[in-house]
Amino acid sequence: MTKYLRIFITLLVILAALFAGNWVWNDYMHSPWTRDGRIRAEIITVAPDVSGWVTDLKISDDQVVKEGDLLFSVDRQRYQAALNQSKARTENARYTWELEKHKNERRTALRRQEAISAEDLESSRISTEIAKANYDLAVAEQETAQLNLDRTHVYAPASGHIINLNLRKGNYVGQGASVFAIVQSDSFYVTGYFEETKIPLIHLNQQAKITLLSGGKPLTGHVVSIGKAIANSNTQSNGQLLPQVQQTFNWVRLSQRIPVDIKLDSLPEGTQLSAGMTATIHLAKQ
Amino acid sequence: MLQVAVLGGLEFSPLVVYFPIAFLLAALTRFVLHRLDWYDLIWKVAWFEVSLFVCYLALTVYVLGGR
């Protein structure tokens, strides 16, 4: 009897171990989780629309700005001069047009008395039209000059934090060259790089539990997008347009990592998030 | 609730913590069984101990992993 009890107890524990081992294996290998998660945020790069010296810098690094706040101003003298020039040109074109109109009216009267030829009248009418077109052109150029002058003030395109401000008063900034970035407020999200073998277990709106490397309460979120493409290094070509095919091992292949974006639901009080932080992500099993 | 084990800025798998815990539990059980002379009740001691370790490991993962 004791012999059978001995065998029974041992087999029972071995059976339990098989189940337990299987559970641990599935939990690690076949459930949607990754340790390769990063906090991300929407970053807006700010670039001036006109070139020139920075004459007025209203911001400091890491400052919170609201949408529409003045960030900095570019030297406006050149653009003011251009606007003045445009205004003068517009005036010039307007008077030229009025003169042509006046001449045309006079010629219309002369034509009634048959003092001038029909051709002269027609050429005078066309001259008036040309003068009007020149005036319209001058007006359009003045608007552009006005726009350039207005754009010497750079306003915040969105609310957020100023990041990496190396701009100083007196720096020369080029049109379209980014000078610093704004991290948009409350735009934090998490991207998890999941192994491709786990992608079938992931679907949109799946609940996610996010643990930061820094600890603290886990954050919650839900899946909003599953990456539909990642770069394939085999499609690159060399200088002779030949495909650069990577060598691989026949026996061991690394699974690709697919980015999955997770929107954060609500942040617990006092959570400090910075884009780039490391996170571990567990998705709810379905 | 142990998702990651962080040591000096290095992130380790929590298994690094779970394994020693399971090992300690298994060693403790072994010690107790010896003390009580219950080892006579076990058929294949090596099989039993390995299985016990696996069970303890699964238990640690379940309890500390917060699942």
Side-chain angles (χ1 to χ4, degrees), chain A residues 6 10 27 35 213 280 282, chain B residues 3-4 11 14 40 43 67:
Chain A
R6 284 173 67 214
T10 310
D27 192 54
R35 215 167 266 140
L213 186 61
T280 298
H282 283 268
Chain B
Q3 300 285 352
V4 284
E11 189 191 271
D40 301 339
W43 177 43
R67 266 156 278 213

Side-chain angles (χ1 to χ4, degrees), chain B residues 18-39:
Chain B
Y18 298 159
F19 264 93
I21 291 176
F23 179 78
L24 280 179
L25 287 173
L28 198 70
T29 314
R30 190 189 146 100
F31 177 76
V32 170
L33 289 181
H34 262 298
R35 269 296 169 91
L36 298 174
D37 267 341
W38 282 3
Y39 257 102

Side-chain angles (χ1 to χ4, degrees), chain A residues 2 5-7 9-11 13-14 16-17 20-21 23-24 27-28 35 209 211 213 218 278 280 282, chain B residues 1 3-4 6 11 13-15 18 40-44 47-48 51-52 54-55 58 61-62 66-67:
Chain A
T2 323
L5 186 69
R6 284 173 67 214
I7 295 175
I9 289 174
T10 310
L11 285 182
V13 174
I14 291 171
W23 178 81
V24 171
D27 192 54
Y28 274 96
R35 215 167 266 140
K209 196 169 79 177
T211 318
L213 186 61
T278 316
T280 298
H282 283 268
Chain B
M1 281 305 295
Q3 300 285 352
V4 284
V6 183
E11 189 191 271
S13 163
L15 280 180
Y18 298 159
D40 301 339
L41 282 173
I42 288 146
W43 177 43
K44 299 267 184 190
W47 288 24
F48 175 81
S51 302
L52 202 65
V54 173
C55 289
V61 170
Y62 186 82
R67 266 156 278 213

Side-chain angles (χ1 to χ4, degrees), chain A residues 216-269:
Chain A
K217 267 189 178 175
L219 316 177
T220 56
H222 57 274
V223 176
V224 286
S225 86
I226 302 164
K228 286 289 171 253
I230 55 167
N232 179 355
S233 52
N234 283 358
T235 55
Q236 288 170 359
S237 306
N238 73 350
Q240 291 175 298
L241 298 181
L242 308 178
Q244 290 186 324
V245 183
Q246 308 294 317
Q247 315 88 323
T248 55
F249 294 103
N250 284 340
W251 290 3
V252 179
R253 305 302 314 274
L254 273 178
S255 64
Q256 305 296 330
R257 304 302 200 263
I258 309 290
V260 172
D261 283 353
I262 293 155
K263 191 178 182 330
L264 294 170
D265 290 340
S266 61
L267 290 176
E269 278 293 309

